[in-house]
Amino acid sequence: MIRRTQRTRREYLFTKSLEGAERVQYEKKRRIRQALEESKPIPTELRNEEHELRRQIDLEDQERQVPKNIVDNEYATANIREPKIMLTTSRNPSSPLVQFVKELKVVFPNSQRINRGGQVISEIVESCRSHDITDLILVHEHRGQPDGLIVSHLPHGPTAYFGLLNVVTRHDIKDRKAMGKMSEAYPHLILDNFSTKIGERTATILKHLFPVPKPDSKRIITFANRDDYISFRHHVYEKPGGPKSIDLKEVGPRFELRLYQIKLGTVEQNEAQSEYVLRPYINTAKKQKTLGS
């Protein structure tokens, strides 16, 4: 298992090292293609490579014209296999944190929860890899209140770090009659206002935690971005009076997410490159909206 992990990691790093060379080659072919389309002379610095570049251009189809990168390969198998999620917590979790993670287990289909115990993060990640787990979710707390959520995609990343705010569990809701029953059907997803590049990246990480639902599923999960705070809501609906009559009930839990880092690696790899880091103390931070308009 250790040898296989080392081999796949080396393959990952080798593929990543080729990205720069492929990008340079793509730019050369783009300039050749543009010169041919506009009936202009081939750029002087590319004339020695023109014959080989034109041969490669003739062999390419539309899918091969744009170079693929590591980000494209991270979720390449997401369409052919359902996600399997492992949930765990920080050490010595409080009862509110344990209750919250139990509810998250129902929120995410095909998920299972383990007690952290004395295990270190690297041991948990290796165990998840050996059991074909696609995503590891760790929930942290501060003084009994859940305050952090880490989503690490396996086997090679990415890893998204979120702050947790305003957590309200089903246990905290007093009016149980108004609350809908917890469904375990695969949910429909609503991803609202993830329009920037980092927003699309965040939406990709979140949506691949859920399998494809059936068309008649009556369960809805919403991630709505407002001013870079992502509101999570969980509903079920019924049609008691026909298709034009919809009765929507919130199921819970509810919370807000605040993205503060994305790493191109798994959670135990401290040396992994950071794709995005929240920097709230720069002069223009209040004017910027990272995830959407």
Side-chain angles (χ1 to χ4, degrees), residues 61-76:
D61 55 13
Q62 291 183 353
E63 187 174 339
R64 296 281 297 174
Q65 283 181 4
V66 180
K68 301 293 183 181
N69 57 26
I70 290 298
V71 173
D72 297 323
N73 295 332
E74 287 168 346
Y75 292 98

Side-chain angles (χ1 to χ4, degrees), residues 23-39:
R23 179 61 59 179
V24 172
Q25 195 76 351
Y26 165 74
E27 183 61 24
K28 290 179 180 180
K29 288 187 281 189
R30 186 194 64 80
R31 294 176 64 189
I32 293 278
R33 196 180 289 110
Q34 182 179 2
L36 294 174
E37 291 175 354
E38 298 177 358
S39 300

Side-chain angles (χ1 to χ4, degrees), residues 27-234:
E27 183 61 24
K28 290 179 180 180
K29 288 187 281 189
R30 186 194 64 80
R31 294 176 64 189
I32 293 278
R33 196 180 289 110
Q34 182 179 2
L36 294 174
E37 291 175 354
E38 298 177 358
S39 300
K40 292 182 178 181
I42 301 298
T44 306
E45 62 273 18
L46 298 179
R47 287 180 182 173
N48 292 335
E49 305 176 66
E50 177 190 357
H51 178 72
E52 178 61 22
L53 290 173
R54 291 185 67 169
R55 186 185 70 82
Q56 294 180 15
I57 290 172
D58 292 338
L59 294 174
E60 288 178 343
D61 55 13
Q62 291 183 353
E63 187 174 339
R64 296 281 297 174
Q65 283 181 4
V66 180
K68 301 293 183 181
N69 57 26
I70 290 298
V71 173
D72 297 323
N73 295 332
E74 287 168 346
Y75 292 98
T77 61
N79 294 328
I80 59 176
R81 57 180 295 199
E82 293 186 346
K84 288 176 61 179
I85 298 172
M86 182 68 73
L87 286 160
T88 189
T89 64
S90 54
R91 289 195 179 96
N92 301 318
S94 64
S95 56
L97 182 62
V98 172
Q99 180 63 38
F100 179 58
V101 173
K102 285 181 180 179
E103 295 185 8
L104 286 182
K105 182 182 181 300
V106 184
V107 167
F108 297 107
N110 302 332
S111 63
Q112 48 189 316
R113 180 177 64 90
I114 61 168
N115 294 323
R116 172 75 176 273
Q119 295 186 85
V120 296
I121 293 296
S122 58
E123 293 175 351
I124 296 175
V125 172
E126 286 303 318
S127 177
C128 289
R129 285 197 181 109
S130 64
H131 290 85
D132 291 329
I133 301 295
T134 61
D135 294 273
L136 172 64
I137 298 179
L138 295 99
V139 188
H140 297 279
E141 65 179 339
H142 179 69
R143 294 184 178 180
Q145 293 295 323
D147 72 335
L149 188 142
I150 302 173
V151 179
S152 184
H153 184 65
L154 300 175
H156 300 305
T159 300
Y161 296 78
F162 297 94
L164 267 176
L165 306 96
N166 305 324
V167 175
V168 179
T169 64
R170 286 172 56 88
H171 229 60
D172 298 330
I173 300 174
K174 295 181 180 180
D175 189 4
R176 297 297 179 89
K177 293 183 179 179
M179 187 171 55
K181 293 181 180 180
M182 181 75 85
S183 171
E184 295 189 14
Y186 292 173
H188 295 285
L189 292 183
I190 298 176
L191 297 163
D192 182 44
N193 196 24
F194 293 90
S195 54
T196 65
K197 186 176 181 180
I198 295 297
E200 292 175 357
R201 178 72 159 145
T202 306
T204 300
I205 293 171
L206 293 174
K207 75 180 181 181
H208 284 111
L209 297 174
F210 299 90
V212 178
K214 294 183 178 180
D216 59 348
S217 175
K218 293 180 171 58
R219 185 180 172 201
I220 302 171
I221 284 179
T222 304
F223 293 96
N225 170 47
R226 294 295 180 272
D227 297 327
D228 291 347
Y229 287 89
I230 305 170
S231 298
F232 173 88
R233 297 294 183 269
H234 185 193

